[in-house]
Amino acid sequence: MIETARLAGFFTAHGIWCVSEGETLVPLIGYLHADGEYGMDRLMYDDYAEGVRAGQDALADGDPSWIGAVLVADGYVHLDQGKTDALIVEAVQYGPYRRSMQLAVPYRTADDPRGFAVHKPKFMNADCDDPEFDALAEAFFVGTTSHTEAHEVWEAHLDESV
C-alpha cells in the first residue's frame, strides 16, 4: 500500500497545481504499472459527476496492468468552519488483498480575497492498522514532493491552520 500512497500523493499534488490558478479540476485517474511507470487519464464528461462516477467505476474494476490507482476529483468536505473546497482522493491497491484509502485536501480557491491556500490533508479512511497509518501518511507526502512543480505550489501556499 506504500506505493499506492505515494501514487496518491503525486496525483493529489498534480490536482493542487491545477486548481491553484482557479480552474476546476477535471477528474483524473492516475495509475501505477508493475514496471514502476505512472499513467494518467483525465475524465472529461459534459457532466462533472458523470466523470467522477466513471473514475469510481474504473477504480472498482481496476485494470490487469495496474498495481494501484487513484482518483482525484474536485469537491467539498465539511469541516468545523463549514463546507470547504477540497480535492477528494480515493486510492486502491490491487492484488490478492485489495486495500484502499480515502482522504481530502481542503483548499481555499484562487478567487478568495485572501488568495489560494492548501490546507492539511484529512485522512478519512485507510485499510490499515494504526502503526501502518504513519507509514502511509509519510509515503503520501513523499509522493507530493516527487511532483516537483506541483510541490513548489503546495509549499508556497500551505496554510496549516485548517
Side-chain angles (χ1 to χ4, degrees), residues 33 64 78 129 150:
H33 294 286
H78 294 277
D129 297 326

Side-chain angles (χ1 to χ4, degrees), residues 18-161:
C18 292
V19 299
S20 69
E21 296 189 11
E23 70 179 78
T24 298
L25 178 70
V26 173
L28 64 88
I29 190 159
Y31 38 87
L32 172 64
H33 294 286
D35 63 4
E37 292 295 314
Y38 287 178
M40 182 183 86
D41 296 324
R42 292 199 181 270
L43 306 168
M44 298 186 73
Y45 287 78
D46 291 335
D47 177 55
Y48 193 84
E50 189 177 336
V52 173
R53 279 189 301 278
Q56 290 168 331
D57 290 346
L59 276 184
D61 295 342
D63 181 284
S65 69
W66 296 352
I67 300 293
V70 59
L71 172 64
V72 182
D74 216 342
Y76 300 95
V77 64
H78 294 277
L79 303 173
D80 291 341
Q81 55 272 37
K83 187 176 174 183
T84 305
D85 288 280
L87 294 185
I88 309 301
V89 181
E90 298 178 52
V92 175
Q93 174 185 296
Y94 301 102
Y97 303 104
R98 186 178 285 207
R99 299 176 71 198
S100 64
M101 63 186 271
Q102 296 174 324
L103 62 117
V105 179
Y107 68 90
R108 190 171 58 226
T109 60
D111 64 356
D112 187 286
R114 297 167 292 170
F116 178 74
V118 181
H119 304 299
K120 295 183 291 191
K122 311 300 182 209
F123 289 85
M124 301 180 296
N125 185 19
D127 291 341
C128 65
D129 297 326
D130 285 342
E132 189 182 13
F133 176 78
D134 290 340
L136 288 179
E138 183 179 332
F140 174 82
F141 287 111
V142 167
T144 65
T145 62
S146 70
H147 193 310
T148 308
E149 300 92 341
H151 181 68
E152 288 175 12
V153 170
W154 190 308
E155 284 294 308
H157 298 282
L158 184 60
D159 175 356
E160 293 184 316
S161 67

